[in-house]
Amino acid sequence: MGATGSIGSSTLDVLGRHPDRYRLYAVTANTSVEAMIGICTQYEPRFAVMADSDSASRLQTALHGVSDTTVYAGIEAMVTLCADPEVDSVMAAIVGFSGLRPALAAARAGKRLLLANKEALVAAGAVFMRAVRDGGAALLPIDSEHNAMFQCLPADPLARTNVQSVEKILLTASGGPFRGWSREQLTSVTPDQACAHPNWSMGRKISVDSATLMNKGLELAEACWLFDRSPEQIEVVVHPQSVIHSLIRYRDGSVLAQLGNPDMRTPIAYGLSWPDRIDAGVQSLDLVSVGQLDFEAPDTSAFPCLRLAQEAIKVPGGMCVLNAANEVAVSSFLEGGIRFTDIDRVIEVCLEAITADEPDSLDAVEVLNGRARDAASDVVGEMLARTDRRAAGR
C-alpha cells in the first residue's frame, strides 16, 4: 500500500533483489498512473488499485497488451486485497489517516503487517492494537526508530520480566533541516526548505513533520502503543548524524543501540525477512568516515509540536485530534497557505477546543478525526482571512 511513495520505492528495490524469495501480489497508489505503469510492467503484480476510478481507468488502458495486472479503484478494493488469503505480508505505507482502514484489515486478517504508517497507531492506537491481538497478526514496525527499538529490545518486549528490565527507550531525532534555528528565523521558512531533509529522502508531508519535530511526537505515541510504555519511559534525543536510530537503556546500566546508514531499505528488509536478515542493498556503515556522534536535547520552544504531542498523548482522544489537525495544517503550508510557524498554532487551538473520549471503534475514530479536521480547516481559514485583511490594509 503506497507503492509509488518513498517507502514503496524502497520496498520494491528490496523485493527486486530477492525474486526467488518474494512475489509481488498487489500494489496500491493514489493517482500516480505513470509510476504505476512502470511498477506493473516490471513486477507483474496480479492486482493494482488506484484511489479513484479515473486513475484506475487510465492505468488499465495503459497496461492493455503489456501486463496482465487487473486494476481496481477505491479504498474498499485496498481493504479486500489486504485481507486476501493469498497475501502473506502487507507493507502499510500510505501516508496519513487514509491508510488506517487497509492496515486494520491486514491486522484483522492475521497478516505479517509491516507498518510504515504512523497515523494508524497515533489516531487509533487502542483499536489498532486490539485488531492485531484478535487477528493474530505479526506487527513489525518499519519506521527506522521503532525498527531499531524492536531489534534492541528482548525477543518478547511485552513479557512482564522484559518490561521491568528496560529502564528507558531513547528515541533519536535528526533535528531536521532547521536544527538550531530560532522561532523568529522559522517564520519565513518555505515548503521547499522544509522538505530538504539533511539525511533522509522522504515524502513532503513527513519531511515537514520532521522539520517541525511533529514526527517525533507521532513516533512517541507509536512507541507507547507498540511496546506498551508510558510517555515518561521514552526520551527524545536529537542526534543530527542519524546513524544511531534508537537506543534501549537497561536497568543493569547497559545501553543497546542499532546503528546504520540512513536508508529505509534496512528496516524494510528486516521486516520482510524477520527473524532472518537479507541483503538490502545498503552500504555498510563506516564509523571512521562518520567521525563523531553528537547528541542534544530537543528545543521545544522553537519547535512546540513535540511538546504538544507529549501533552496530547495524556488526554483521551488527544492524539487523534493532534494528528488530524496536523494533516490539515501541513497541507495548507505545503500549498502556500499558512506559515511554517502557524502549523503548531493550528494544532494547539484544536487541542484546546475539542474534548472527547478515547475512541473505542473505527467509527468513533473516524468521527473524531472528522471533527478535528473541520476545526483545523476553520482555524486555517481564519488565519488566511487575517492575512488577506492585512494585505488589503497595506
Side-chain angles (χ1 to χ4, degrees):
M1 296 184 292
T4 60
S6 60
I7 295 294
S9 297
S10 294
T11 303
L12 292 170
D13 182 86
V14 175
L15 294 176
R17 296 172 187 276
H18 303 277
D20 56 330
R21 182 164 182 151
Y22 303 107
R23 180 171 63 89
L24 188 61
Y25 185 72
V27 287
T28 82
N30 188 18
T31 57
S32 302
V33 174
E34 291 301 320
M36 283 288 271
I37 293 171
I39 291 171
C40 292
T41 53
Q42 180 177 353
Y43 293 93
E44 290 286 342
R46 190 178 302 182
F47 301 105
V49 184
M50 304 300 293
D52 59 69
S53 56
D54 178 65
S55 298
S57 177
R58 287 164 51 208
L59 178 60
Q60 190 73 81
T61 299
L63 295 179
H64 181 70
V66 178
S67 169
D68 292 330
T69 300
T70 299
V71 182
Y72 293 110
I75 191 72
E76 293 304 327
M78 297 183 192
V79 168
T80 299
L81 284 172
C82 284
D84 191 308
E86 290 199 46
V87 170
D88 300 305
S89 301
V90 174
M91 170 61 76
I94 295 175
V95 176
F97 187 82
S98 57
L100 174 57
R101 286 189 60 206
L104 269 175
R108 289 167 176 158
K111 306 300 183 184
R112 173 180 289 220
L113 180 54
L114 312 180
L115 189 65
N117 171 285
K118 293 178 175 61
E119 293 79 6
L121 278 172
V122 171
V127 175
F128 193 84
M129 293 306 293
R130 185 169 65 243
V132 169
R133 290 191 298 270
D134 292 348
L139 180 60
L140 297 170
I142 300 302
D143 269 354
S144 60
E145 295 83 359
H146 302 91
N147 192 271
M149 297 171 194
F150 184 81
Q151 293 188 48
C152 294
L153 283 165
D156 183 359
L158 299 184
R160 180 171 176 80
T161 54
N162 291 334
V163 168
Q164 293 175 334
S165 71
V166 174
E167 186 175 84
K168 185 155 285 192
I169 293 175
L170 303 178
L171 169 61
T172 57
S174 70
F178 310 125
R179 183 176 63 88
W181 286 36
S182 68
R183 184 71 174 174
E184 184 178 356
Q185 287 176 298
L186 294 170
T187 58
S188 59
V189 163
T190 67
D192 285 343
Q193 287 177 308
C195 292
H197 196 282
N199 300 330
W200 295 95
S201 175
M202 305 180 292
R204 287 174 71 80
K205 193 269 181 183
I206 192 173
S207 294
V208 174
D209 284 347
S210 178
T212 63
L213 291 193
M214 175 56 81
N215 207 35
K216 290 305 124 180
L218 301 180
E219 289 173 0
L220 171 66
E222 195 176 359
C224 288
W225 285 112
L226 283 168
F227 306 117
D228 194 24
R229 305 285 157 166
S230 69
E232 292 75 22
Q233 293 173 301
I234 302 171
E235 179 182 347
V236 177
V237 178
V238 174
H239 166 51
Q241 290 87 2
S242 295
V243 168
I244 297 178
H245 301 298
S246 275
L247 311 92
I248 307 297
R249 182 191 300 156
Y250 286 89
R251 294 196 178 279
D252 63 0
S254 300
V255 179
L256 301 188
Q258 189 266 334
L259 289 74
N261 285 315
D263 191 318
M264 286 305 299
R265 290 177 296 176
T266 294
I268 288 167
Y270 187 71
L272 283 168
S273 64
W274 176 83
D276 300 329
R277 292 181 185 265
I278 58 174
D279 172 39
V282 178
Q283 185 176 357
S284 297
L285 178 65
D286 183 348
L287 285 173
V288 174
S289 296
V290 172
Q292 65 183 52
L293 302 175
D294 299 312
F295 305 92
E296 61 190 58
D299 181 359
T300 54
S301 296
F303 303 93
C305 281
L306 175 57
R307 172 182 56 79
L308 292 174
Q310 290 170 328
E311 295 169 359
I313 198 171
K314 301 173 184 178
V315 179
M319 288 306 294
C320 185
V321 173
L322 175 138
N323 179 70
N326 181 61
E327 287 192 13
V328 171
V330 170
S331 177
S332 176
F333 168 69
L334 286 172
E335 292 168 0
I338 63 174
R339 297 178 301 177
F340 182 82
T341 48
D342 287 330
I343 293 173
D344 55 82
R345 294 189 177 104
V346 172
I347 296 165
E348 188 164 23
V349 170
C350 292
L351 286 171
E352 291 174 353
I354 298 175
T355 57
D357 296 325
E358 186 67 32
D360 60 358
S361 68
L362 178 57
D363 287 344
V365 170
E366 291 178 337
V367 168
L368 183 54
N369 175 71
R371 285 178 57 200
R373 292 184 73 89
D374 289 344
S377 296
D378 289 343
V379 177
V380 167
E382 292 170 4
M383 287 180 170
L384 296 178
R386 284 198 297 271
T387 300
D388 291 342
R389 286 195 295 271
R390 283 196 298 266
R394 289 200 298 269

